[in-house]
Amino acid sequence: MPKTSQSLHPLLVLHPIQPAYLRLFEEAGFDPIPGWERSDFEAANRRVADDLRFVLTSGSRGLSAAEMELYPKLEMICALGAGYENIDRAAARGRGVVVTFSPGANAPQVADHAIALILAMLHDIPAADRAARTGAWKTYRNSRLHPTLSGRRLGILGFGRIGRETAGRAAGGFATPIAYSARTRRDDVDHTYFADPRALAEWAEIVVVATPGGPETRHLVDAEFLSALGPDGYLVNVSRGSVVDTAALIDALRRKTIAGAALDVVDGEPEVPAELADLPNILLTPHIAGHSPEAVTATIRLVIDNLAAHLEGRPVPTAVPID
């Protein structure tokens, strides 16, 4: 017998998810209640706050201690994706609320996007497309030469699953020398390790930012980092906007103390500062690096695995580490 809406477990969803993927939760026994728009959030709270046990959010959206207080029966907060920086974990721990995340589920797609951003930036694909469409074919072609990715030194800031996947694509497909900076050296890779992120920037011609967000990495890419990267260097960010000091990046791009940048994430998104968007040496995408049918499905499946384990009294597969 199919489950009725009354028998489904309410799940407040604070991160935008397309209807086709919300149905995956319904098939697993949950009633996904959209709450990413303020009006929907308030309506959902009026409907289910007193009995709500499960919340699905993301690292960028998070869940505050004050919001947790709205739900007296809250048992579990699931972060959709690898980030969980804006979930108040201390408040959750104090209330005995389980917090989970979805590490690695979309890493291949994010790594693909990082490589796509590098190629589009180096080859100036957006401007070339506009030139071909607007009759400036010969003018553009005769006035531009573009650097290649092959053989360029690629630095990766943060070396989790996304960093590793990006390194594998670059080294295997483009013969790029790889170096990385992370909190600890990885014994299972042969790439050059820099404990100091600025030393990585000095070595690299391109830096891909693939660190977690949060206070520990806020403005890790600052004016000194960008100065170390230098006028022939390029920056790509597929992690969190907060890792890059936006004001310092705008200044570096404006003064051409770095050659260019490609960002899938911006601090304060979805708002993009006009001073950044108007620059000619930047490429922007709207936080879509992890968006593919395969990646979204894999991420949601991992969330469902965590929810099911909790309901069955088993340890959840991917609990957020306790600080």
Side-chain angles (χ1 to χ4, degrees):
M1 176 181 294
K3 294 182 179 180
T4 65
S5 60
Q6 287 76 22
S7 65
L8 299 176
H9 300 286
L11 173 68
L12 180 59
V13 181
L14 302 182
H15 182 86
I17 298 176
Q18 296 176 6
Y21 298 102
L22 288 177
R23 284 194 286 273
L24 295 174
F25 290 108
E26 295 174 356
E27 294 168 2
F30 296 88
D31 177 18
I33 304 168
W36 51 86
E37 298 292 348
R38 187 67 197 178
S39 59
D40 292 333
F41 178 70
E42 293 170 352
N45 286 338
R46 289 192 295 270
R47 173 184 161 194
V48 299
D50 289 344
D51 297 311
L52 187 73
R53 299 162 62 195
F54 307 110
V55 172
L56 176 62
T57 184
S58 63
S60 54
R61 167 57 175 85
L63 195 72
S64 68
E67 289 173 325
M68 292 179 205
E69 290 295 330
L70 299 172
Y71 314 119
K73 296 182 180 179
L74 184 65
E75 297 178 15
M76 188 170 179
I77 304 165
C78 300
L80 189 72
Y84 47 82
E85 67 273 14
N86 288 322
I87 297 173
D88 192 325
R89 286 167 284 155
R93 187 165 57 249
R95 294 184 51 178
V97 174
V98 177
V99 182
T100 70
F101 67 140
S102 312
N106 65 359
Q109 171 69 12
V110 177
D112 286 353
H113 196 77
I115 297 297
L117 286 176
I118 293 171
L119 292 171
M121 176 174 57
L122 292 180
H123 291 274
D124 200 19
I125 297 297
D129 176 79
R130 290 192 299 271
R133 293 172 184 269
T134 58
W137 182 297
K138 288 185 178 180
T139 302
Y140 183 90
R141 187 175 185 277
N142 294 334
S143 64
R144 306 285 182 94
L145 292 174
H146 299 116
T148 182
L149 172 56
S150 297
R152 285 185 174 270
R153 296 187 302 277
L154 178 65
I156 300 178
L157 186 59
F159 209 67
R161 177 82 183 276
I162 292 170
R164 288 170 178 263
E165 293 270 355
T166 303
R169 284 157 174 73
F174 299 92
T176 60
I178 302 290
Y180 68 99
S181 182
R183 285 181 295 182
T184 57
R185 182 192 297 269
R186 310 296 190 218
D187 294 331
D188 56 343
V189 298
D190 295 328
H191 307 311
T192 302
Y193 172 69
F194 291 98
D196 181 358
R198 289 170 191 162
L200 176 74
E202 289 178 352
W203 175 88
E205 296 173 272
I206 304 165
V207 170
V208 173
V209 182
T211 66
E216 300 87 356
T217 60
R218 180 170 178 77
H219 291 183
L220 187 60
V221 176
D222 56 10
E224 292 185 22
F225 184 101
L226 295 168
S227 178
L229 184 56
D232 296 320
Y234 295 86
L235 181 76
V236 176
N237 188 4
V238 292
S239 62
R240 288 289 188 263
S242 61
V243 180
V244 176
D245 183 336
T246 303
L249 178 61
I250 291 170
D251 183 63
L253 290 168
R254 184 177 289 148
R255 294 193 296 113
K256 298 185 178 179
T257 53
I258 67 170
L263 309 178
D264 184 56
V265 288
V266 177
D267 203 8
E269 62 187 53
E271 301 301 321
V272 178
E275 302 95 323
L276 185 67
D278 290 342
L279 291 167
N281 49 350
I282 191 163
L283 177 63
L284 298 167
T285 57
H287 204 154
I288 58 169
H291 286 200
S292 72
E294 299 83 0
V296 173
T297 299
T299 303
I300 289 175
R301 293 291 185 199
L302 187 49
V303 172
I304 290 171
D305 288 346
N306 279 298
L307 288 164
H310 177 78
L311 284 170
E312 294 167 8
R314 296 184 285 109
V316 295
T318 54
V320 166
I322 297 175
D323 294 335

